[in-house]
Amino acid sequence: MSEARWTAVDAYIDTALHLSDPALEAALAANRAAGLPGIDVSPAQGKFLHLLARMVSAKRILEIGALGGYSSIWLARALQVGGQLVSLEISPKHAEVARANLARAGLGAIAEVRVGPALESLAALKNEAGAPFDFVFIDADKPNNANYLKAALGMARPGAVIVCDNVVRDGTIADSASRDPNVAGARALFETIANEPRLSGVGLQTVGAKGWDGFAIALVV
Ligand code: SAH
Ligand code: DHB
Ligand code: MG
């Protein structure tokens, strides 16, 4: 099986299920025009996150790592009526592109992009003592994955779902001798899930237009 075949299957799923639409495509075009890296989730991955958020009837969604807001659009569209997405992004430029993409998708009023290092934004969010989150998507700097998971857990209700992107990384996660800090971040995330009695989780490998990678998915019990 080659990456070209994986990509062809992703294209088939995208077409067969009408996953993409003008707002999503405009967001990807705006990201390209602004020079953002094409590291957004794929359409199928976006729909997967959207469905998971709907399965927990999410009214409060937290995203860590907005980039141009492609995944943010998928997540904000999953919100229950009256719900809110908070997305954390360190780059002012990425945040500006994300806000414009969310506004174009008609989601500007229910999706907020906060600029700053996510660990700082998470501490501020915790201090605000808002309603707990029902769904969290972690997709920022990978060495901080375990820190983000712990912070998210402190603001998530029982029954909440926490998903972390890019934890397989072409299989490198299985290499215990790896000195890649992104691999170490993914392994620390799994260790945290394993050692945290309030989490029940799994890793799921994916192939597709984004290569060979995977999600960690944890349920707050
Ligand atoms: N979720 C997006 C992709 C995110 S790419 C999508 O699928 O569409 C990762 C993003 O995390 C980048 O925009 C990067 O600027 C941001 N990031 C990196 N380090 C960060 C940090 N410490 N705090 C917040 N955001 C960070
Ligand atoms: C990278 C980051 C991502 O969130 C992703 O989905 C793919 C790649 C990266 O930093 O290279
Ligand atoms: Mg990612």
Side-chain angles (χ1 to χ4, degrees):
M1 273 294 277
S2 68
E3 188 145 351
R5 298 283 289 158
W6 305 343
T7 301
V9 172
D10 255 356
Y12 167 74
I13 292 168
D14 189 356
T15 304
L17 297 176
H18 313 290
L19 298 184
S20 295
D21 61 36
L24 287 165
E25 277 159 17
L28 293 178
N31 291 357
R32 272 194 301 274
L36 269 50
I39 55 175
D40 346 67
V41 293
S42 69
Q45 290 169 342
K47 182 69 182 278
F48 175 64
L49 296 170
H50 168 95
L51 290 174
L52 288 178
R54 283 177 60 187
M55 285 174 194
V56 295
S57 301
K59 219 173 169 179
R60 291 257 296 163
I61 299 179
L62 173 64
E63 176 177 66
I64 305 174
L67 189 64
Y70 183 79
S71 55
S72 319
I73 292 174
W74 280 109
L75 291 172
R77 286 176 172 177
L79 287 164
Q80 299 282 297
V81 173
Q84 187 81 12
L85 168 80
V86 180
S87 186
L88 311 181
E89 173 53 55
I90 197 170
S91 158
K93 177 184 170 182
H94 294 182
E96 192 183 311
V97 174
R99 287 190 195 110
N101 284 333
L102 285 159
R104 195 189 299 103
L107 300 163
I110 60 170
E112 177 192 356
V113 184
R114 295 194 183 193
V115 177
L119 283 176
E120 289 177 21
S121 302
L122 287 163
L125 266 173
K126 178 84 175 160
N127 276 335
E128 287 168 25
F133 289 101
D134 309 296
F135 188 88
V136 181
F137 180 47
I138 300 171
D139 191 20
D141 51 320
K142 312 309 175 187
N144 268 318
N145 274 345
N147 295 329
Y148 294 149
L149 177 62
K150 288 171 197 160
L153 185 58
M155 292 187 273
R157 67 159 165 90
V161 168
I162 304 174
V163 178
C164 186
D165 196 19
N166 313 116
V167 299
V168 172
R169 319 194 62 84
D170 288 310
T172 52
I173 190 175
D175 179 6
S176 59
S178 171
R179 276 169 302 183
D180 179 342
N182 295 318
V183 172
R187 292 177 69 98
L189 179 95
F190 277 100
E191 201 178 308
T192 303
I193 293 173
N195 293 331
E196 173 53 70
R198 282 187 298 151
L199 289 173
S200 178
V202 74
L204 199 62
Q205 305 184 66
T206 56
V207 295
K210 302 287 165 171
W212 175 24
D213 213 325
F215 295 111
I217 303 173
L219 177 69
V220 181
V221 296

